[in-house]
Amino acid sequence: MVEAALGGAPSQPALSPAAPVDFYFDYSSPFAYLAIMRAGELGPQVRWRPILLGGLFRTLGTPDVPLFVQSPEKRRHTMQDLDRQAARAGLPFHFPARFPMRTVLPLRVTLAAGSPPPLVRALATAMWAEDRDISDPAVVAAIADSLGLDGAALVAAAETPALKQALVAATAEAEAAGVFGVPTFVVHTRERGPQLYWGADRLTLAMAAAGGDGSAM
């Protein structure tokens, strides 16, 4: 972004990721939205891992909404940085009128559907580009229906004990893997084992590590 501001055109490395990557996300994070829309660049071996960020934060003792405890100066910078990253990626971005939003339902629906990337991207876009209320069962069902899924069945499944426990378990697994925020990429390299990368702006490093670039590990 600095090069672009100076009038340059930074080159994009040609990378061929191969190592398995766990991609942890929650729809509640604007930075996770930016990563969700680009996570496909990690290749078909990426495993989409929805987790409940609020639950993880409570376990770790982190404020539920870190943005709210930032200084005014840092909050202004965070909002500007979101706009910059979205513009750089060519993504529509509009901070939603409802924030923070309860994302338990769309996360459980995602798990119930098997975490298909098109559904993940559609739900993230609905919140962060279209200002739709994805805590509303009717909205979530309609989004799933638009992708050829059975929205009503998925919403119903999200209320079952099995899916409730599945989200709890997924969040606990993320904590065990060292995840402390989203988006997080855990690249399972042969050379050094799992390598954790946090933040939408670390996607290129995660791709390099997945492709075997030791300098990114």
Side-chain angles (χ1 to χ4, degrees), residues 7-101:
S11 61
Q12 296 297 322
L15 301 170
S16 299
V21 181
D22 288 315
F23 169 43
Y24 295 94
F25 65 90
D26 184 339
Y27 301 109
S28 64
S29 165
F31 290 103
Y33 160 67
L34 298 177
I36 284 168
M37 302 308 288
R38 296 188 56 208
E41 297 173 29
L42 289 161
Q45 77 280 9
V46 64
R47 298 179 292 220
W48 298 66
R49 306 286 200 192
I51 66 170
L52 183 60
L53 184 60
L56 179 66
F57 279 170
R58 284 188 287 276
T59 299
L60 299 178
T62 302
D64 281 353
V65 186
L67 181 67
F68 289 173
V69 297
Q70 292 178 356
S71 67
E73 295 79 10
K74 186 173 182 179
R75 193 177 307 126
R76 281 195 296 272
H77 177 268
T78 297
M79 299 302 293
Q80 186 179 50
D81 191 45
L82 284 164
D83 287 336
R84 284 172 174 167
Q85 289 198 47
R88 181 71 176 171
L91 295 172
F93 174 75
H94 306 286
F95 211 88
R98 310 164 191 83
F99 185 82
M101 187 180 295

Side-chain angles (χ1 to χ4, degrees), residues 105-106 109 123 126 132-146 150-156 159:
L105 172 63
V109 164
L123 287 167
R132 297 171 69 185
D133 184 0
I134 62 170
S135 67
D136 184 336
V139 172
V140 173
I143 292 170
D145 287 343
S146 72
D150 188 336
L154 289 171
V155 168
E159 297 303 319

